[in-house]
Amino acid sequence: KYGMLGILKVIRMKDPDLNMLALGMDLTTLGLNLNSPDNLYSTFASPWSDTPARKDPEFYLPPCYYMNPPHELKTARFQKFSPDT
């Protein structure tokens, strides 16, 4: 099952599931251009997706999550503390 007799089952290519697991798949059939100098993740979303990856994410961030800049720190308050603090 796992020795030379097991590899014969793969070489004979009778079981398509076993061949896919052992030999893999040609990635160009999924629409990947492996000769492209660009990054693959920008164009390939998933092997189960028929559309290319979108550059902008599909979510809306509510305004309550945006942060206001902090108030300016006043150094005069530091003088009220002792050096031991």
Side-chain angles (χ1 to χ4, degrees), residues 27-61:
L27 296 178
T28 57
T29 60
L30 297 175
L32 287 175
N33 182 4
L34 300 178
N35 295 325
S36 173
D38 297 332
N39 295 325
L40 293 178
Y41 65 83
S42 62
T43 57
F44 183 71
S46 167
W48 300 279
S49 175
D50 293 332
T51 59
R54 295 186 178 137
K55 299 209 184 262
D56 296 329
E58 294 183 21
F59 63 87
Y60 169 73
L61 188 63

Side-chain angles (χ1 to χ4, degrees), residues 13-35:
M13 295 189 174
K14 292 184 179 178
D15 184 7
D17 293 332
L18 180 63
N19 292 334
M20 179 65 69
L21 179 65
L23 302 177
M25 183 177 190
D26 183 14
L27 296 178
T28 57
T29 60
L30 297 175
L32 287 175
N33 182 4
L34 300 178
N35 295 325

